Amino acid sequence: MMPRPSLLAAVAATLWLLIAGSAIAGDADTVTASNAWIRVLPGNLPAGAFADFTNASDHAVALTGASSTRYGQAMLHRSSTEGGMGRMEAVDKMEIPAHGSAKLSPGAYHVMLMQAKPAVVPGDNVVITLSFSDGSHKDVTFQARPANAL
Ligand SMILES: [Cu+2]
């Protein structure tokens, strides 16, 4: 039995979208993430997520947010030691320069993960969806490590 013409049209349209989509690379496609990990703290304490990024494109890219099905909330934060006091604040983006790199790291930019459901323990692999300023998204697998990990 031959597929119905309407089904063929739907398949053709889908293929076209896939081809067109890959031709117009989003920021998520030009950014590579590595060494992605989460520092798990005891109890209900928020966990920091860290990773190294490189941007292969000719323009700067901005990481603007994160989400994960394993956490009720994920926010982009930046730690600092202004005036000798350790503090952190929510920020709306972290820039990754053209042909450059940037990192989420302890004491600097990080993704703050709150309300784990169920609890995340060292050894778990957690997928976090990262958002970029052009609206593109990238799923990155973060490995959960113990509180004393560096
Ligand atoms: Cu934080």
Side-chain angles (χ1 to χ4, degrees), residues 87-148:
R87 57 190 293 269
M88 65 180 164
E89 60 185 352
V91 292
D92 53 15
K93 65 176 178 177
M94 179 185 79
E95 278 214 357
I96 311 169
H99 298 291
S101 61
K103 49 173 66 179
L104 299 171
S105 60
Y109 285 103
H110 57 278
V111 171
M112 197 95 263
L113 301 166
M114 289 152 277
Q115 301 152 26
K117 43 169 191 178
V120 170
V121 297
D124 283 357
N125 287 314
V126 177
V127 175
I128 297 177
T129 303
L130 302 175
S131 308
F132 296 91
S133 54
D134 70 341
S136 59
H137 302 279
K138 187 180 195 69
D139 284 349
V140 176
T141 299
F142 286 68
Q143 189 187 63
R145 296 184 188 161
N148 61 357

Side-chain angles (χ1 to χ4, degrees), residues 53-105:
F53 299 98
T54 57
N55 172 15
S57 75
D58 291 332
H59 62 273
V61 161
L63 175 66
T64 53
S67 65
S68 174
T69 58
R70 288 293 299 275
Y71 290 92
Q73 204 179 2
M75 294 175 71
L76 193 56
H77 275 183
R78 185 180 194 178
S79 297
S80 66
T81 51
E82 276 165 43
M85 288 270 288
R87 57 190 293 269
M88 65 180 164
E89 60 185 352
V91 292
D92 53 15
K93 65 176 178 177
M94 179 185 79
E95 278 214 357
I96 311 169
H99 298 291
S101 61
K103 49 173 66 179
L104 299 171
S105 60

